[in-house]
Amino acid sequence: PELMQRALAALEQHGSRIARRDRIAIADFAAPSATPRFHLVNLEDGRATSKLVAHGSGSDPAHTGWLQRFSNQNGSNASCEGAFVTDGYYVGKHGKSQRLMGLDATNNNALDRAIVVHAAWYANPDMIDRRGMLGRSQGCFAVGENELAEVFERLGPGRMIYAAKV
């Protein structure tokens, strides 16, 4: 509940920069990577779908499956916290990906750091069976390869992602 309240407060705070306010995503980085912690929330009907999402290697140097710290610094390979607005799509190293614009001082380097939403093999559910946790990204919101289309369909451009550890 506290994380949802923070996300809704961020939506209000950044309202003029977020074109579409019907759905949001919330990354609950207080939860371990082995649990679905990327919540896609429909604000019109209250329904949510939760997916696995990786955090950055710089946020979990010992690879415990738990996010230890955030960073907004270039080269940190860490996840950053705060509100993001989803932008356009492109095809890169991880296939189809979605750019993110950081809206807070804690994530305003997201575009320069290429913090994006993309699919990755290390975010697939079978990683939990094999390793007990997901692999780590370079700070991106990496989801399972079979989940990306649904994540893109539910998010689309102009919506907010809120990431925090409460």
Side-chain angles (χ1 to χ4, degrees), residues 127-152:
M127 287 299 293
I128 297 166
D129 296 334
R130 292 189 315 203
R131 305 268 330 252
M133 67 189 104
L134 296 182
R136 300 166 297 165
S137 68
Q138 292 181 315
C140 293
F141 295 90
V143 299
E145 293 166 308
N146 293 332
E147 303 292 345
L148 188 67
E150 183 181 352
V151 169
F152 283 169

PDB file of all heavy atoms in Angstrom, residues 127-152:
ATOM      1  N   MET A 127      15.140 -19.455 -14.714  1.00  0.00           N
ATOM      2  CA  MET A 127      16.315 -19.059 -13.932  1.00  0.00           C
ATOM      3  C   MET A 127      16.089 -19.299 -12.437  1.00  0.00           C
ATOM      4  O   MET A 127      17.022 -19.639 -11.705  1.00  0.00           O
ATOM      5  CB  MET A 127      16.657 -17.592 -14.173  1.00  0.00           C
ATOM      6  CG  MET A 127      17.261 -17.312 -15.538  1.00  0.00           C
ATOM      7  SD  MET A 127      18.822 -18.184 -15.819  1.00  0.00           S
ATOM      8  CE  MET A 127      19.881 -17.364 -14.640  1.00  0.00           C
ATOM      9  N   ILE A 128      14.861 -19.118 -11.998  1.00  0.00           N
ATOM     10  CA  ILE A 128      14.546 -19.334 -10.587  1.00  0.00           C
ATOM     11  C   ILE A 128      14.687 -20.816 -10.250  1.00  0.00           C
ATOM     12  O   ILE A 128      15.218 -21.172  -9.198  1.00  0.00           O
ATOM     13  CB  ILE A 128      13.147 -18.792 -10.252  1.00  0.00           C
ATOM     14  CG1 ILE A 128      13.139 -17.276 -10.477  1.00  0.00           C
ATOM     15  CG2 ILE A 128      12.745 -19.136  -8.830  1.00  0.00           C
ATOM     16  CD1 ILE A 128      11.776 -16.667 -10.520  1.00  0.00           C
ATOM     17  N   ASP A 129      14.225 -21.673 -11.162  1.00  0.00           N
ATOM     18  CA  ASP A 129      14.366 -23.115 -10.955  1.00  0.00           C
ATOM     19  C   ASP A 129      15.838 -23.525 -10.875  1.00  0.00           C
ATOM     20  O   ASP A 129      16.208 -24.374 -10.065  1.00  0.00           O
ATOM     21  CB  ASP A 129      13.691 -23.896 -12.093  1.00  0.00           C
ATOM     22  CG  ASP A 129      12.195 -23.661 -12.135  1.00  0.00           C
ATOM     23  OD1 ASP A 129      11.606 -23.332 -11.089  1.00  0.00           O
ATOM     24  OD2 ASP A 129      11.618 -23.777 -13.235  1.00  0.00           O
ATOM     25  N   ARG A 130      16.661 -22.909 -11.711  1.00  0.00           N
ATOM     26  CA  ARG A 130      18.075 -23.293 -11.790  1.00  0.00           C
ATOM     27  C   ARG A 130      18.955 -22.612 -10.755  1.00  0.00           C
ATOM     28  O   ARG A 130      19.870 -23.221 -10.216  1.00  0.00           O
ATOM     29  CB  ARG A 130      18.623 -22.999 -13.186  1.00  0.00           C
ATOM     30  CG  ARG A 130      18.024 -23.892 -14.250  1.00  0.00           C
ATOM     31  CD  ARG A 130      18.731 -23.742 -15.556  1.00  0.00           C
ATOM     32  NE  ARG A 130      18.958 -22.326 -15.864  1.00  0.00           N
ATOM     33  CZ  ARG A 130      19.148 -21.861 -17.076  1.00  0.00           C
ATOM     34  NH1 ARG A 130      19.163 -22.670 -18.099  1.00  0.00           N
ATOM     35  NH2 ARG A 130      19.338 -20.577 -17.284  1.00  0.00           N
ATOM     36  N   ARG A 131      18.699 -21.292 -10.487  1.00  0.00           N
ATOM     37  CA  ARG A 131      19.603 -20.511  -9.644  1.00  0.00           C
ATOM     38  C   ARG A 131      18.951 -19.965  -8.374  1.00  0.00           C
ATOM     39  O   ARG A 131      19.619 -19.387  -7.533  1.00  0.00           O
ATOM     40  CB  ARG A 131      20.150 -19.305 -10.429  1.00  0.00           C
ATOM     41  CG  ARG A 131      20.819 -19.632 -11.736  1.00  0.00           C
ATOM     42  CD  ARG A 131      22.309 -19.863 -11.679  1.00  0.00           C
ATOM     43  NE  ARG A 131      23.029 -19.143 -10.661  1.00  0.00           N
ATOM     44  CZ  ARG A 131      23.830 -18.127 -10.850  1.00  0.00           C
ATOM     45  NH1 ARG A 131      24.006 -17.664 -12.059  1.00  0.00           N
ATOM     46  NH2 ARG A 131      24.466 -17.568  -9.850  1.00  0.00           N
ATOM     47  N   GLY A 132      17.605 -20.063  -8.301  1.00  0.00           N
ATOM     48  CA  GLY A 132      16.904 -19.526  -7.142  1.00  0.00           C
ATOM     49  C   GLY A 132      16.640 -18.034  -7.217  1.00  0.00           C
ATOM     50  O   GLY A 132      16.082 -17.446  -6.290  1.00  0.00           O
ATOM     51  N   MET A 133      17.055 -17.414  -8.332  1.00  0.00           N
ATOM     52  CA  MET A 133      16.876 -15.976  -8.533  1.00  0.00           C
ATOM     53  C   MET A 133      17.096 -15.665 -10.013  1.00  0.00           C
ATOM     54  O   MET A 133      17.608 -16.507 -10.757  1.00  0.00           O
ATOM     55  CB  MET A 133      17.867 -15.181  -7.689  1.00  0.00           C
ATOM     56  CG  MET A 133      19.312 -15.362  -8.134  1.00  0.00           C
ATOM     57  SD  MET A 133      20.501 -14.645  -7.017  1.00  0.00           S
ATOM     58  CE  MET A 133      21.108 -16.121  -6.223  1.00  0.00           C
ATOM     59  N   LEU A 134      16.711 -14.456 -10.392  1.00  0.00           N
ATOM     60  CA  LEU A 134      16.978 -14.015 -11.756  1.00  0.00           C
ATOM     61  C   LEU A 134      18.426 -13.569 -11.885  1.00  0.00           C
ATOM     62  O   LEU A 134      19.106 -13.291 -10.894  1.00  0.00           O
ATOM     63  CB  LEU A 134      16.072 -12.826 -12.126  1.00  0.00           C
ATOM     64  CG  LEU A 134      14.572 -13.088 -12.162  1.00  0.00           C
ATOM     65  CD1 LEU A 134      13.837 -11.820 -12.597  1.00  0.00           C
ATOM     66  CD2 LEU A 134      14.216 -14.252 -13.065  1.00  0.00           C
ATOM     67  N   GLY A 135      18.881 -13.486 -13.123  1.00  0.00           N
ATOM     68  CA  GLY A 135      20.162 -12.850 -13.387  1.00  0.00           C
ATOM     69  C   GLY A 135      20.002 -11.345 -13.219  1.00  0.00           C
ATOM     70  O   GLY A 135      18.939 -10.862 -12.829  1.00  0.00           O
ATOM     71  N   ARG A 136      21.053 -10.606 -13.525  1.00  0.00           N
ATOM     72  CA  ARG A 136      21.031  -9.155 -13.320  1.00  0.00           C
ATOM     73  C   ARG A 136      21.274  -8.428 -14.633  1.00  0.00           C
ATOM     74  O   ARG A 136      22.020  -8.898 -15.488  1.00  0.00           O
ATOM     75  CB  ARG A 136      22.101  -8.765 -12.306  1.00  0.00           C
ATOM     76  CG  ARG A 136      21.906  -9.410 -10.943  1.00  0.00           C
ATOM     77  CD  ARG A 136      23.121  -9.286 -10.068  1.00  0.00           C
ATOM     78  NE  ARG A 136      24.244 -10.008 -10.683  1.00  0.00           N
ATOM     79  CZ  ARG A 136      25.503  -9.862 -10.333  1.00  0.00           C
ATOM     80  NH1 ARG A 136      25.836  -9.032  -9.376  1.00  0.00           N
ATOM     81  NH2 ARG A 136      26.455 -10.548 -10.930  1.00  0.00           N
ATOM     82  N   SER A 137      20.655  -7.258 -14.736  1.00  0.00           N
ATOM     83  CA  SER A 137      20.822  -6.404 -15.910  1.00  0.00           C
ATOM     84  C   SER A 137      21.939  -5.395 -15.640  1.00  0.00           C
ATOM     85  O   SER A 137      22.636  -5.480 -14.628  1.00  0.00           O
ATOM     86  CB  SER A 137      19.512  -5.668 -16.201  1.00  0.00           C
ATOM     87  OG  SER A 137      19.242  -4.716 -15.173  1.00  0.00           O
ATOM     88  N   GLN A 138      22.055  -4.415 -16.515  1.00  0.00           N
ATOM     89  CA  GLN A 138      22.990  -3.309 -16.291  1.00  0.00           C
ATOM     90  C   GLN A 138      22.227  -2.098 -15.766  1.00  0.00           C
ATOM     91  O   GLN A 138      22.649  -0.965 -15.960  1.00  0.00           O
ATOM     92  CB  GLN A 138      23.758  -2.988 -17.569  1.00  0.00           C
ATOM     93  CG  GLN A 138      24.705  -4.108 -17.957  1.00  0.00           C
ATOM     94  CD  GLN A 138      25.479  -3.793 -19.213  1.00  0.00           C
ATOM     95  OE1 GLN A 138      24.942  -3.315 -20.198  1.00  0.00           O
ATOM     96  NE2 GLN A 138      26.775  -4.054 -19.166  1.00  0.00           N
ATOM     97  N   GLY A 139      21.092  -2.367 -15.121  1.00  0.00           N
ATOM     98  CA  GLY A 139      20.239  -1.315 -14.574  1.00  0.00           C
ATOM     99  C   GLY A 139      18.886  -1.238 -15.258  1.00  0.00           C
ATOM    100  O   GLY A 139      18.001  -0.523 -14.806  1.00  0.00           O
ATOM    101  N   CYS A 140      18.725  -1.996 -16.327  1.00  0.00           N
ATOM    102  CA  CYS A 140      17.470  -1.990 -17.081  1.00  0.00           C
ATOM    103  C   CYS A 140      16.386  -2.812 -16.379  1.00  0.00           C
ATOM    104  O   CYS A 140      16.672  -3.657 -15.540  1.00  0.00           O
ATOM    105  CB  CYS A 140      17.686  -2.567 -18.481  1.00  0.00           C
ATOM    106  SG  CYS A 140      18.735  -1.538 -19.522  1.00  0.00           S
ATOM    107  N   PHE A 141      15.141  -2.558 -16.777  1.00  0.00           N
ATOM    108  CA  PHE A 141      13.996  -3.360 -16.355  1.00  0.00           C
ATOM    109  C   PHE A 141      13.913  -4.523 -17.343  1.00  0.00           C
ATOM    110  O   PHE A 141      13.258  -4.427 -18.378  1.00  0.00           O
ATOM    111  CB  PHE A 141      12.709  -2.532 -16.387  1.00  0.00           C
ATOM    112  CG  PHE A 141      12.689  -1.395 -15.405  1.00  0.00           C
ATOM    113  CD1 PHE A 141      13.163  -0.142 -15.772  1.00  0.00           C
ATOM    114  CD2 PHE A 141      12.190  -1.568 -14.130  1.00  0.00           C
ATOM    115  CE1 PHE A 141      13.137   0.917 -14.882  1.00  0.00           C
ATOM    116  CE2 PHE A 141      12.160  -0.519 -13.223  1.00  0.00           C
ATOM    117  CZ  PHE A 141      12.643   0.729 -13.603  1.00  0.00           C
ATOM    118  N   ALA A 142      14.602  -5.609 -17.059  1.00  0.00           N
ATOM    119  CA  ALA A 142      14.622  -6.776 -17.941  1.00  0.00           C
ATOM    120  C   ALA A 142      13.547  -7.762 -17.495  1.00  0.00           C
ATOM    121  O   ALA A 142      13.507  -8.154 -16.328  1.00  0.00           O
ATOM    122  CB  ALA A 142      15.993  -7.438 -17.918  1.00  0.00           C
ATOM    123  N   VAL A 143      12.688  -8.130 -18.433  1.00  0.00           N
ATOM    124  CA  VAL A 143      11.610  -9.086 -18.171  1.00  0.00           C
ATOM    125  C   VAL A 143      11.843 -10.344 -19.001  1.00  0.00           C
ATOM    126  O   VAL A 143      12.677 -10.349 -19.904  1.00  0.00           O
ATOM    127  CB  VAL A 143      10.218  -8.464 -18.470  1.00  0.00           C
ATOM    128  CG1 VAL A 143       9.961  -7.252 -17.580  1.00  0.00           C
ATOM    129  CG2 VAL A 143      10.074  -8.101 -19.934  1.00  0.00           C
ATOM    130  N   GLY A 144      11.098 -11.386 -18.701  1.00  0.00           N
ATOM    131  CA  GLY A 144      11.230 -12.638 -19.432  1.00  0.00           C
ATOM    132  C   GLY A 144      10.894 -12.478 -20.911  1.00  0.00           C
ATOM    133  O   GLY A 144      10.071 -11.647 -21.298  1.00  0.00           O
ATOM    134  N   GLU A 145      11.546 -13.291 -21.716  1.00  0.00           N
ATOM    135  CA  GLU A 145      11.373 -13.190 -23.172  1.00  0.00           C
ATOM    136  C   GLU A 145       9.925 -13.393 -23.601  1.00  0.00           C
ATOM    137  O   GLU A 145       9.476 -12.763 -24.558  1.00  0.00           O
ATOM    138  CB  GLU A 145      12.297 -14.202 -23.861  1.00  0.00           C
ATOM    139  CG  GLU A 145      13.753 -13.847 -23.660  1.00  0.00           C
ATOM    140  CD  GLU A 145      14.703 -14.974 -24.032  1.00  0.00           C
ATOM    141  OE1 GLU A 145      14.509 -16.106 -23.530  1.00  0.00           O
ATOM    142  OE2 GLU A 145      15.632 -14.717 -24.812  1.00  0.00           O
ATOM    143  N   ASN A 146       9.183 -14.251 -22.917  1.00  0.00           N
ATOM    144  CA  ASN A 146       7.781 -14.490 -23.273  1.00  0.00           C
ATOM    145  C   ASN A 146       6.830 -13.469 -22.654  1.00  0.00           C
ATOM    146  O   ASN A 146       5.620 -13.552 -22.874  1.00  0.00           O
ATOM    147  CB  ASN A 146       7.356 -15.904 -22.871  1.00  0.00           C
ATOM    148  CG  ASN A 146       8.066 -16.956 -23.689  1.00  0.00           C
ATOM    149  OD1 ASN A 146       8.450 -16.731 -24.833  1.00  0.00           O
ATOM    150  ND2 ASN A 146       8.267 -18.122 -23.100  1.00  0.00           N
ATOM    151  N   GLU A 147       7.345 -12.550 -21.867  1.00  0.00           N
ATOM    152  CA  GLU A 147       6.512 -11.543 -21.188  1.00  0.00           C
ATOM    153  C   GLU A 147       6.563 -10.170 -21.857  1.00  0.00           C
ATOM    154  O   GLU A 147       5.720  -9.320 -21.606  1.00  0.00           O
ATOM    155  CB  GLU A 147       6.947 -11.382 -19.723  1.00  0.00           C
ATOM    156  CG  GLU A 147       6.901 -12.654 -18.924  1.00  0.00           C
ATOM    157  CD  GLU A 147       5.500 -13.176 -18.690  1.00  0.00           C
ATOM    158  OE1 GLU A 147       4.528 -12.428 -18.899  1.00  0.00           O
ATOM    159  OE2 GLU A 147       5.368 -14.345 -18.290  1.00  0.00           O
ATOM    160  N   LEU A 148       7.553  -9.940 -22.697  1.00  0.00           N
ATOM    161  CA  LEU A 148       7.793  -8.600 -23.231  1.00  0.00           C
ATOM    162  C   LEU A 148       6.606  -8.049 -24.010  1.00  0.00           C
ATOM    163  O   LEU A 148       6.229  -6.882 -23.814  1.00  0.00           O
ATOM    164  CB  LEU A 148       9.049  -8.584 -24.107  1.00  0.00           C
ATOM    165  CG  LEU A 148       9.485  -7.189 -24.548  1.00  0.00           C
ATOM    166  CD1 LEU A 148       9.951  -6.372 -23.351  1.00  0.00           C
ATOM    167  CD2 LEU A 148      10.577  -7.286 -25.596  1.00  0.00           C
ATOM    168  N   ALA A 149       6.004  -8.855 -24.874  1.00  0.00           N
ATOM    169  CA  ALA A 149       4.885  -8.354 -25.689  1.00  0.00           C
ATOM    170  C   ALA A 149       3.739  -7.863 -24.804  1.00  0.00           C
ATOM    171  O   ALA A 149       3.166  -6.790 -25.051  1.00  0.00           O
ATOM    172  CB  ALA A 149       4.398  -9.435 -26.652  1.00  0.00           C
ATOM    173  N   GLU A 150       3.416  -8.616 -23.746  1.00  0.00           N
ATOM    174  CA  GLU A 150       2.342  -8.193 -22.849  1.00  0.00           C
ATOM    175  C   GLU A 150       2.723  -6.932 -22.075  1.00  0.00           C
ATOM    176  O   GLU A 150       1.895  -6.041 -21.887  1.00  0.00           O
ATOM    177  CB  GLU A 150       1.980  -9.307 -21.871  1.00  0.00           C
ATOM    178  CG  GLU A 150       0.815  -8.933 -20.970  1.00  0.00           C
ATOM    179  CD  GLU A 150       0.443 -10.005 -19.966  1.00  0.00           C
ATOM    180  OE1 GLU A 150       0.978 -11.131 -20.037  1.00  0.00           O
ATOM    181  OE2 GLU A 150      -0.387  -9.703 -19.086  1.00  0.00           O
ATOM    182  N   VAL A 151       3.969  -6.845 -21.636  1.00  0.00           N
ATOM    183  CA  VAL A 151       4.429  -5.650 -20.923  1.00  0.00           C
ATOM    184  C   VAL A 151       4.309  -4.435 -21.846  1.00  0.00           C
ATOM    185  O   VAL A 151       3.763  -3.393 -21.450  1.00  0.00           O
ATOM    186  CB  VAL A 151       5.869  -5.833 -20.403  1.00  0.00           C
ATOM    187  CG1 VAL A 151       6.452  -4.510 -19.908  1.00  0.00           C
ATOM    188  CG2 VAL A 151       5.897  -6.873 -19.291  1.00  0.00           C
ATOM    189  N   PHE A 152       4.766  -4.555 -23.085  1.00  0.00           N
ATOM    190  CA  PHE A 152       4.672  -3.438 -24.026  1.00  0.00           C
ATOM    191  C   PHE A 152       3.211  -3.083 -24.319  1.00  0.00           C
ATOM    192  O   PHE A 152       2.858  -1.919 -24.433  1.00  0.00           O
ATOM    193  CB  PHE A 152       5.392  -3.762 -25.325  1.00  0.00           C
ATOM    194  CG  PHE A 152       6.889  -3.646 -25.245  1.00  0.00           C
ATOM    195  CD1 PHE A 152       7.677  -4.127 -26.263  1.00  0.00           C
ATOM    196  CD2 PHE A 152       7.523  -3.055 -24.159  1.00  0.00           C
ATOM    197  CE1 PHE A 152       9.054  -4.017 -26.222  1.00  0.00           C
ATOM    198  CE2 PHE A 152       8.907  -2.943 -24.094  1.00  0.00           C
ATOM    199  CZ  PHE A 152       9.675  -3.427 -25.138  1.00  0.00           C
TER     200      PHE A 152
END
